[in-house]
Amino acid sequence: MSPTDPAASTPPQPARRPQARTHHGDTFEDPYDWLRAKDDPEVIAHLEAENAHTDAALAHLEPLRERIFQEIKGRVRETDLSLPSRRGDWWYYGRTIEGKQYGIQCRAPIAGPDDWTPPVLSPEVEVPGEQVLLDANVEAEGHEFFSLGSFDVSNDGTRMLWGVDLAGDERYTVRVKDLVTGEVLPDVLEGTFSGSHFLPDGTHIVYTTVDDAWRPDRVWLHPVGRAGRDEDREIYRDDDERFWVGAGVTRSDRFLIVESGSSVTSEVAMLDAATVATDPEARPRLVWPRREGVEYGVDHAVIDGEDWLYILHNDGALDFELVRARVGAPDVVETVLPHEPGRRLLDVDCFRDFAVVEYRREGLPRVALLDYRTHALTEISFDEPLYAAGFGSNPEWAPPVLRIGYGSFTTPGSVFEYVLPDADPGLLRDGEPGELILRRQVEVLGGYDPADYGQARLWAPAQDGTRIPVSLVWKRSFGEPGAGIRPVHLYGYGSYEHSIDPSFSVARLSELDRGVVFAVAHVRGGGEMGRQWYEDGKLGAKRNSFTDFVDVARHLVESGYTTPQRMVAEGGSAGGLLMGAVANLAPELFAGVLADVPFVDALTTILDPSLPLTVIEWDEWGDPLHDREVYEYMKSYSPYENVREGVAYPRILAMTSLNDTRVLYVEPAKWVARLREVGADALFKCEMVAGHGGVSGRYNSWRERAFQLAWLLDVLGVAEA
């Protein structure tokens, strides 16, 4: 293990300018909060000095970074096409071209109404009738950052819209193109949120906008062909600062669904998609009025000519249940799938002849078909013990096949088509009813063989006796984990009921091929083990997330998998809060901590309702502004306030982006300054043109990951494959 290059410049330490923050009779002197003045030239100068120092301190890793970048690049087929997906009279797909940062959206005509087998396309062979819809490389010319937040084509295939963010602040400008004439229409919708789309007839655009706290709060209807937003009609508005709004059209094209939700409560309203644009008096009709703590989602089905709503809810059902009701009487329900503890229902998607239900069971995501008449579930299963299966791209209302996305830690991302039991065999060139057909698997160049790698799940005991699932992936040639001391890269998140499911990573191979074992600690606060798993890691139980991660690390050490000197922890965003907390709780357990866009000044942020997301976040963390107990609890774990004197911290690398609206750059900037006060070897890198997801462009993203992995491998004392 090599320390930060001693020849590097002295770390830039910002001036201490204490500002008093007083709540509930407690005063905290914050010496670095002045760094949040984003437009202050002194702040920008400090961030640039931090970047220069990090570059100098890690200059010795440049050869390793370049090797890792070339390894990632060498495993990816740079000129490639995605699997075509049928919508209407077209197959839609994406292209990537060697040397180009961004994808290209294309389409080609179907051969006829019975053409349901996706064409086998080749990058080297011209596709008959191909149309290039959007070349993001052209859109990004002259800009350091580019993000596509909306992309949609009207049902009849004649119009396209796209929304672009050129700063990283997740505010998009939407434009429209006539695909028949090639004309770019006068529509320019500035300041929209992501996810804009057409109404089914293509005459209007549905979009959302945000308030001053960056909360999507309004849904609008824009007539295509009009410049600007002056004539747009607001069709929904939610003034409750805890709720986000969004809108979408049911697969049946029958209803425009408007959803408004907080972390714990939701409400759904419906409008007739065919008349909402022509009826200025149209108002959303509530399905169920909001009730605190009740979440639900709605989809539409037509069964024997009658309109039904399929409603997934948690009213008295911790892991959710599925009911249905007639459109005209949403309060009169019948149970479709009753609540079953341990089976966390996640989503329902209604097609003409069946529905698809996604759920979690035994810690892993599953997909099943639902029979409308018998309510029987047919799970679509796979052979691997650890995998993730999910709903794929299925835009059609009555397809003969169902697209399923699939992957594991060792199996590259794949797309299967499940041949539906009632499918007309004349529509398919291959496959039998009930059969899974592999249509595409991401190709990994360089001789990748999944048999060379292993994956497994073990269980680590927490302090309170709870068993914490831990996923492992490794290269078999280095021996089985636990048979000897190995370097370990331990990843965690643990918030918002978000689950870290098995998935393949090309970049991860660069560490596995050097003998590193990659591990995921599925701590409480995530959703891996159902809703209770989430409840046991939020609000007043949040510390469970941190102690679970520490207990997993201790278990790996005590069971002979690794040592503290050979273990690095990583987490991002809310997982960055996890990193800051465990660094304070158990600095002796890790050689390094990689914190990406880390939420490490949590209490300061959640105390300020004027900041983006704060009020919404009170359902996740509690309201420290008005509740003394919440204030004291958050102050007990917030990383910035709890940096410890007199302990040896692991090496720390914090990375963020200047324009991140979700976790402000000032949080890691303050945290690193405080860590340096107690002698920690902490480095800070701030992308000056990027957002919450980091830099844009695939080559830039690969280089960013190579930067992180080179640092991580250096901490672990591993350099060569």
mmCIF file of all heavy atoms in Angstrom, residues 41 111 115 125 172 176 209 211 221 223 259 278 298 310 366 373 394 402 503 542 568 572 583 613 677:
data_model
loop_
_atom_site.group_PDB
_atom_site.id
_atom_site.type_symbol
_atom_site.label_atom_id
_atom_site.label_comp_id
_atom_site.label_asym_id
_atom_site.label_seq_id
_atom_site.Cartn_x
_atom_site.Cartn_y
_atom_site.Cartn_z
ATOM 1 N N PRO A 41 -15.927 33.861 -6.444
ATOM 2 C CA PRO A 41 -14.663 33.485 -7.094
ATOM 3 C C PRO A 41 -13.692 32.788 -6.136
ATOM 4 O O PRO A 41 -12.918 31.926 -6.563
ATOM 5 C CB PRO A 41 -14.104 34.832 -7.579
ATOM 6 C CG PRO A 41 -15.303 35.705 -7.722
ATOM 7 C CD PRO A 41 -16.250 35.290 -6.634
ATOM 8 N N ALA A 111 -41.282 -5.349 -41.385
ATOM 9 C CA ALA A 111 -41.561 -5.977 -42.677
ATOM 10 C C ALA A 111 -43.056 -6.078 -42.941
ATOM 11 O O ALA A 111 -43.481 -6.165 -44.098
ATOM 12 C CB ALA A 111 -40.918 -7.360 -42.726
ATOM 13 N N ASP A 115 -44.662 -9.052 -38.299
ATOM 14 C CA ASP A 115 -43.206 -9.085 -38.066
ATOM 15 C C ASP A 115 -42.926 -8.795 -36.595
ATOM 16 O O ASP A 115 -42.865 -7.644 -36.174
ATOM 17 C CB ASP A 115 -42.525 -8.051 -38.975
ATOM 18 C CG ASP A 115 -41.018 -8.011 -38.780
ATOM 19 O OD1 ASP A 115 -40.477 -8.961 -38.191
ATOM 20 O OD2 ASP A 115 -40.383 -7.028 -39.212
ATOM 21 N N VAL A 125 -23.223 -3.718 -41.708
ATOM 22 C CA VAL A 125 -24.141 -3.850 -42.835
ATOM 23 C C VAL A 125 -25.206 -2.768 -42.758
ATOM 24 O O VAL A 125 -25.792 -2.538 -41.699
ATOM 25 C CB VAL A 125 -24.802 -5.248 -42.834
ATOM 26 C CG1 VAL A 125 -25.793 -5.365 -43.984
ATOM 27 C CG2 VAL A 125 -23.745 -6.333 -42.921
ATOM 28 N N TYR A 172 -34.111 20.628 -18.310
ATOM 29 C CA TYR A 172 -34.005 20.232 -19.715
ATOM 30 C C TYR A 172 -34.766 21.185 -20.632
ATOM 31 O O TYR A 172 -35.820 21.715 -20.262
ATOM 32 C CB TYR A 172 -34.545 18.813 -19.896
ATOM 33 C CG TYR A 172 -33.788 17.787 -19.080
ATOM 34 C CD1 TYR A 172 -34.170 17.512 -17.759
ATOM 35 C CD2 TYR A 172 -32.700 17.115 -19.599
ATOM 36 C CE1 TYR A 172 -33.477 16.587 -16.999
ATOM 37 C CE2 TYR A 172 -31.997 16.186 -18.846
ATOM 38 C CZ TYR A 172 -32.391 15.926 -17.543
ATOM 39 O OH TYR A 172 -31.705 15.017 -16.786
ATOM 40 N N VAL A 176 -38.917 19.745 -30.720
ATOM 41 C CA VAL A 176 -39.763 18.817 -31.469
ATOM 42 C C VAL A 176 -39.349 18.826 -32.937
ATOM 43 O O VAL A 176 -38.997 19.874 -33.495
ATOM 44 C CB VAL A 176 -41.259 19.205 -31.355
ATOM 45 C CG1 VAL A 176 -42.138 18.198 -32.090
ATOM 46 C CG2 VAL A 176 -41.674 19.304 -29.892
ATOM 47 N N THR A 209 -42.640 20.665 -14.532
ATOM 48 C CA THR A 209 -41.663 21.685 -14.159
ATOM 49 C C THR A 209 -41.425 21.618 -12.655
ATOM 50 O O THR A 209 -42.205 21.011 -11.916
ATOM 51 C CB THR A 209 -42.136 23.098 -14.545
ATOM 52 O OG1 THR A 209 -43.421 23.350 -13.932
ATOM 53 C CG2 THR A 209 -42.239 23.244 -16.055
ATOM 54 N N ASP A 211 -40.281 23.555 -8.798
ATOM 55 C CA ASP A 211 -40.352 24.806 -8.051
ATOM 56 C C ASP A 211 -38.945 25.265 -7.674
ATOM 57 O O ASP A 211 -37.947 24.692 -8.137
ATOM 58 C CB ASP A 211 -41.250 24.659 -6.828
ATOM 59 C CG ASP A 211 -40.737 23.633 -5.817
ATOM 60 O OD1 ASP A 211 -39.574 23.189 -5.942
ATOM 61 O OD2 ASP A 211 -41.489 23.281 -4.892
ATOM 62 N N LEU A 221 -49.611 20.854 -20.294
ATOM 63 C CA LEU A 221 -49.973 20.357 -21.615
ATOM 64 C C LEU A 221 -49.585 21.415 -22.639
ATOM 65 O O LEU A 221 -50.009 22.574 -22.539
ATOM 66 C CB LEU A 221 -51.481 20.082 -21.666
ATOM 67 C CG LEU A 221 -51.998 19.057 -22.671
ATOM 68 C CD1 LEU A 221 -51.336 17.705 -22.454
ATOM 69 C CD2 LEU A 221 -53.516 18.938 -22.540
ATOM 70 N N PRO A 223 -49.396 22.457 -26.741
ATOM 71 C CA PRO A 223 -49.798 22.146 -28.116
ATOM 72 C C PRO A 223 -48.585 22.172 -29.052
ATOM 73 O O PRO A 223 -47.856 23.169 -29.112
ATOM 74 C CB PRO A 223 -50.794 23.251 -28.460
ATOM 75 C CG PRO A 223 -50.452 24.387 -27.551
ATOM 76 C CD PRO A 223 -49.878 23.780 -26.302
ATOM 77 N N GLU A 259 -49.353 11.146 -11.126
ATOM 78 C CA GLU A 259 -48.991 10.606 -9.824
ATOM 79 C C GLU A 259 -48.334 11.690 -8.979
ATOM 80 O O GLU A 259 -47.522 12.464 -9.473
ATOM 81 C CB GLU A 259 -48.037 9.426 -9.970
ATOM 82 C CG GLU A 259 -48.637 8.242 -10.702
ATOM 83 C CD GLU A 259 -47.657 7.101 -10.843
ATOM 84 O OE1 GLU A 259 -46.571 7.327 -11.413
ATOM 85 O OE2 GLU A 259 -47.971 5.992 -10.389
ATOM 86 N N THR A 278 -58.573 18.613 -25.820
ATOM 87 C CA THR A 278 -59.641 19.397 -26.455
ATOM 88 C C THR A 278 -60.659 19.938 -25.463
ATOM 89 O O THR A 278 -61.468 20.797 -25.812
ATOM 90 C CB THR A 278 -60.376 18.528 -27.495
ATOM 91 O OG1 THR A 278 -60.869 17.349 -26.850
ATOM 92 C CG2 THR A 278 -59.414 18.125 -28.614
ATOM 93 N N VAL A 298 -51.319 2.647 -10.084
ATOM 94 C CA VAL A 298 -52.490 2.237 -10.858
ATOM 95 C C VAL A 298 -52.106 1.952 -12.304
ATOM 96 O O VAL A 298 -51.281 2.663 -12.891
ATOM 97 C CB VAL A 298 -53.569 3.349 -10.826
ATOM 98 C CG1 VAL A 298 -54.747 2.988 -11.712
ATOM 99 C CG2 VAL A 298 -54.027 3.611 -9.395
ATOM 100 N N TYR A 310 -56.066 -1.774 -12.038
ATOM 101 C CA TYR A 310 -55.285 -2.672 -11.189
ATOM 102 C C TYR A 310 -54.446 -1.797 -10.267
ATOM 103 O O TYR A 310 -53.657 -0.968 -10.735
ATOM 104 C CB TYR A 310 -54.431 -3.606 -12.039
ATOM 105 C CG TYR A 310 -55.216 -4.818 -12.492
ATOM 106 C CD1 TYR A 310 -56.234 -4.697 -13.440
ATOM 107 C CD2 TYR A 310 -54.980 -6.065 -11.936
ATOM 108 C CE1 TYR A 310 -56.978 -5.790 -13.829
ATOM 109 C CE2 TYR A 310 -55.724 -7.179 -12.319
ATOM 110 C CZ TYR A 310 -56.716 -7.035 -13.265
ATOM 111 O OH TYR A 310 -57.462 -8.125 -13.636
ATOM 112 N N ARG A 366 -37.994 -10.651 -9.140
ATOM 113 C CA ARG A 366 -38.607 -11.685 -9.971
ATOM 114 C C ARG A 366 -39.644 -11.052 -10.895
ATOM 115 O O ARG A 366 -40.146 -9.961 -10.641
ATOM 116 C CB ARG A 366 -39.306 -12.737 -9.103
ATOM 117 C CG ARG A 366 -38.497 -13.227 -7.912
ATOM 118 C CD ARG A 366 -37.386 -14.160 -8.307
ATOM 119 N NE ARG A 366 -36.674 -14.658 -7.140
ATOM 120 C CZ ARG A 366 -35.738 -15.599 -7.176
ATOM 121 N NH1 ARG A 366 -35.412 -16.151 -8.326
ATOM 122 N NH2 ARG A 366 -35.119 -15.988 -6.077
ATOM 123 N N ARG A 373 -58.151 -13.703 -15.414
ATOM 124 C CA ARG A 373 -59.377 -14.366 -14.976
ATOM 125 C C ARG A 373 -59.172 -15.249 -13.751
ATOM 126 O O ARG A 373 -60.034 -15.333 -12.878
ATOM 127 C CB ARG A 373 -59.959 -15.157 -16.139
ATOM 128 C CG ARG A 373 -60.506 -14.226 -17.232
ATOM 129 C CD ARG A 373 -60.832 -14.928 -18.534
ATOM 130 N NE ARG A 373 -61.375 -13.954 -19.489
ATOM 131 C CZ ARG A 373 -60.621 -13.140 -20.221
ATOM 132 N NH1 ARG A 373 -59.297 -13.183 -20.108
ATOM 133 N NH2 ARG A 373 -61.172 -12.269 -21.061
ATOM 134 N N ASN A 394 -41.169 -3.026 -23.560
ATOM 135 C CA ASN A 394 -42.385 -3.659 -24.091
ATOM 136 C C ASN A 394 -43.432 -2.588 -24.394
ATOM 137 O O ASN A 394 -44.436 -2.468 -23.681
ATOM 138 C CB ASN A 394 -42.949 -4.660 -23.084
ATOM 139 C CG ASN A 394 -42.044 -5.838 -22.824
ATOM 140 O OD1 ASN A 394 -42.025 -6.805 -23.580
ATOM 141 N ND2 ASN A 394 -41.264 -5.768 -21.759
ATOM 142 N N LEU A 402 -42.865 -11.338 -24.553
ATOM 143 C CA LEU A 402 -42.589 -10.383 -23.487
ATOM 144 C C LEU A 402 -41.084 -10.256 -23.333
ATOM 145 O O LEU A 402 -40.372 -11.258 -23.208
ATOM 146 C CB LEU A 402 -43.204 -10.871 -22.174
ATOM 147 C CG LEU A 402 -43.026 -9.952 -20.958
ATOM 148 C CD1 LEU A 402 -43.896 -8.720 -21.105
ATOM 149 C CD2 LEU A 402 -43.370 -10.709 -19.678
ATOM 150 N N SER A 503 -25.620 -7.459 -10.815
ATOM 151 C CA SER A 503 -25.479 -6.873 -12.149
ATOM 152 C C SER A 503 -24.031 -6.992 -12.594
ATOM 153 O O SER A 503 -23.114 -7.023 -11.771
ATOM 154 C CB SER A 503 -25.921 -5.405 -12.169
ATOM 155 O OG SER A 503 -25.078 -4.620 -11.341
ATOM 156 N N LYS A 542 -32.031 4.745 11.510
ATOM 157 C CA LYS A 542 -31.038 4.924 10.454
ATOM 158 C C LYS A 542 -29.678 4.353 10.824
ATOM 159 O O LYS A 542 -28.946 3.862 9.951
ATOM 160 C CB LYS A 542 -30.900 6.422 10.118
ATOM 161 C CG LYS A 542 -30.002 6.696 8.925
ATOM 162 C CD LYS A 542 -30.598 6.086 7.666
ATOM 163 C CE LYS A 542 -29.544 5.605 6.715
ATOM 164 N NZ LYS A 542 -30.097 4.830 5.597
ATOM 165 N N VAL A 568 -11.291 -1.862 1.135
ATOM 166 C CA VAL A 568 -11.720 -0.503 0.807
ATOM 167 C C VAL A 568 -13.240 -0.490 0.719
ATOM 168 O O VAL A 568 -13.856 -1.407 0.163
ATOM 169 C CB VAL A 568 -11.104 -0.031 -0.527
ATOM 170 C CG1 VAL A 568 -11.763 1.259 -1.002
ATOM 171 C CG2 VAL A 568 -9.607 0.183 -0.375
ATOM 172 N N GLY A 572 -22.034 5.874 -2.824
ATOM 173 C CA GLY A 572 -22.297 7.158 -3.460
ATOM 174 C C GLY A 572 -23.642 7.731 -3.073
ATOM 175 O O GLY A 572 -24.586 6.998 -2.761
ATOM 176 N N ALA A 583 -16.768 5.594 8.398
ATOM 177 C CA ALA A 583 -15.401 6.077 8.616
ATOM 178 C C ALA A 583 -15.251 6.633 10.028
ATOM 179 O O ALA A 583 -14.195 6.491 10.655
ATOM 180 C CB ALA A 583 -15.041 7.145 7.581
ATOM 181 N N LEU A 613 -34.866 19.407 -2.420
ATOM 182 C CA LEU A 613 -35.206 18.092 -1.870
ATOM 183 C C LEU A 613 -35.435 18.043 -0.368
ATOM 184 O O LEU A 613 -35.948 17.042 0.135
ATOM 185 C CB LEU A 613 -34.119 17.058 -2.224
ATOM 186 C CG LEU A 613 -33.794 16.888 -3.710
ATOM 187 C CD1 LEU A 613 -32.718 15.834 -3.880
ATOM 188 C CD2 LEU A 613 -35.033 16.497 -4.488
ATOM 189 N N GLU A 677 -8.309 18.611 9.203
ATOM 190 C CA GLU A 677 -7.993 19.211 10.498
ATOM 191 C C GLU A 677 -7.540 18.163 11.516
ATOM 192 O O GLU A 677 -6.770 18.473 12.424
ATOM 193 C CB GLU A 677 -9.214 19.948 11.050
ATOM 194 C CG GLU A 677 -9.524 21.255 10.353
ATOM 195 C CD GLU A 677 -10.645 22.003 11.045
ATOM 196 O OE1 GLU A 677 -11.464 21.359 11.749
ATOM 197 O OE2 GLU A 677 -10.716 23.237 10.892
#
